[in-house]
Amino acid sequence: MKGRTDLAVEKQTKKDENLRVFETSKENLKITTVKISRENKKEEYITVEFPSLLTAESTEKIEKEILSALKKIIPKNIEKVLVAGLGNREITCDSIGPFVCERVLATRHLNAKILNEIGIKRVKNVSVLAPGVLGKTGIEAVETIEAVSKKTKAEAVIVIDALAASSIKRLFKAIQVSNAGISPGSGVKNERKEISLKTLGIPVFAIGVPTVVDAENLAEELTNSAVLENADLILTPKDADVLCKKVSEIIARAINMFLHSEEHIKTVMELV
């Protein structure tokens, strides 16, 4: 398979001496950690795979694993965070970032007294941004994020985006968390400027969900032969609208639990 993909679990190769892969299973979840070390650069990708988004039991388990992944890759001492949802809310398979932003609680404008009154005692300083896409704003997402992160004095950025997979088996059935930043649009041949420590000067943590697959990859996967050479088509499931909303809620809850309060998550979600 030719493999146009944004997922580390699909890019890995056993021949790479700089790469280590760890796999674990928890009931019906598979967690794969890919660690890459080269040229003083250490990247870590944690991918949670699951059979379905549409059961209450799965939802809770997935939230816990995403929360666990965030705790592993984001230092505890980071207090000021900018959450940025990439993508276009008008295109279903690219709407996850903006949808997540709608459900993450911004607290930069709230003082301790107000937070105590609503029953939340410990939160981080959080700003939330959906920068839109270059075609509608005329501004690269990285430019908007850089300006806002400097203004808010953010110590780190969490970006959320839709990804491309090389296998249909992972569409809406995997969530990837990494400390390596992101190159928006790279999986669909529409690569924009990188959003990373290199471009922003502060750590960038990324959460992504595979929502599309290249038609050429899909044809090869189904027929075991390259029957659609140079086919410039991107495919997504017919129920992508429902799945996007569902996975966005799961990611938003995990982010809110990490940034704010696991104990008071119900209260937090009622405020957004």
Side-chain angles (χ1 to χ4, degrees):
M1 191 173 294
K2 294 189 177 180
R4 183 195 298 182
T5 180
D6 296 310
L7 295 173
V9 293
E10 294 180 337
K11 292 180 179 179
Q12 60 176 290
T13 169
K14 294 180 180 179
K15 295 180 180 179
D16 190 341
E17 296 179 354
N18 300 307
L19 182 148
R20 290 185 297 162
V21 180
F22 309 89
E23 293 183 358
T24 59
S25 297
K26 293 185 180 179
E27 297 183 38
N28 60 346
L29 302 183
K30 178 182 177 182
I31 299 94
T32 305
T33 300
V34 177
K35 294 185 177 182
I36 304 171
S37 300
R38 56 169 67 97
E39 297 179 358
N40 298 320
K41 185 178 182 181
K42 294 184 178 181
E43 298 179 355
E44 184 169 352
Y45 300 83
I46 302 173
T47 303
V48 180
E49 296 181 64
F50 39 85
S52 174
L53 283 168
L54 302 179
T55 65
E57 183 181 3
S58 291
T59 296
E60 186 175 348
K61 291 177 182 177
I62 297 167
E63 286 174 3
K64 289 181 178 179
E65 287 306 318
I66 299 306
L67 175 60
S68 176
L70 291 172
K71 287 180 177 179
K72 287 178 181 177
I73 68 168
I74 303 180
K76 293 181 180 179
N77 61 346
I78 290 177
E79 291 293 328
K80 295 182 179 180
V81 179
L82 172 62
V83 177
L86 307 182
N88 188 342
R89 68 177 68 245
E90 296 177 11
I91 298 177
T92 300
C93 60
D94 196 31
S95 62
I96 289 175
F99 283 160
V100 170
C101 282
E102 292 175 1
R103 301 292 287 164
V104 172
L105 178 64
T107 57
R108 182 170 176 264
H109 60 303
L110 301 177
N111 58 41
K113 182 179 179 181
I114 293 175
L115 292 169
N116 282 329
E117 288 176 353
I118 60 181
I120 305 174
K121 296 180 180 179
R122 181 76 176 91
V123 298
K124 293 184 183 291
N125 182 308
V126 178
S127 304
V128 181
L129 172 70
V133 293
L134 181 66
K136 293 181 69 69
T137 66
I139 307 169
E140 288 274 8
V142 67
E143 295 171 338
T144 304
I145 293 171
E146 181 181 22
V148 174
S149 64
K150 287 181 177 178
K151 184 67 176 179
T152 60
K153 297 180 171 60
E155 299 167 349
V157 176
I158 298 175
V159 295
I160 305 98
D161 200 9
L163 306 178
S166 65
S167 172
I168 191 175
K169 296 176 182 178
R170 290 191 173 91
L171 293 186
F172 291 100
K173 292 184 178 180
I175 299 175
Q176 176 177 272
V177 181
S178 85
N179 65 354
I182 197 166
S183 295
S186 61
V188 292
K189 296 183 180 178
N190 188 32
E191 191 166 350
R192 309 313 314 167
K193 291 183 179 178
E194 179 181 309
I195 302 171
S196 65
L197 173 63
K198 179 181 177 180
T199 56
L200 297 184
I202 56 176
V204 177
F205 305 96
I207 304 174
V209 181
T211 65
V212 297
V213 63
D214 182 279
E216 190 173 345
N217 285 343
L218 177 59
E220 186 176 345
E221 182 176 10
L222 296 177
T223 65
N224 202 30
S225 63
V227 297
L228 283 178
E229 291 287 347
N230 302 315
D232 194 16
L233 296 172
I234 297 293
L235 306 175
T236 194
K238 64 179 181 180
D239 53 352
D241 53 344
V242 175
L243 295 170
C244 278
K245 287 291 182 68
K246 184 64 176 178
V247 77
S248 298
E249 291 173 2
I250 290 171
I251 293 171
R253 282 179 62 88
I255 292 174
N256 280 324
M257 284 190 284
F258 174 76
L259 295 176
H260 303 313
S261 172
E262 293 179 60
E263 182 182 357
H264 301 107
I265 186 60
K266 183 177 180 180
T267 301
V268 170
M269 296 306 296
E270 288 174 351
L271 295 173
V272 291

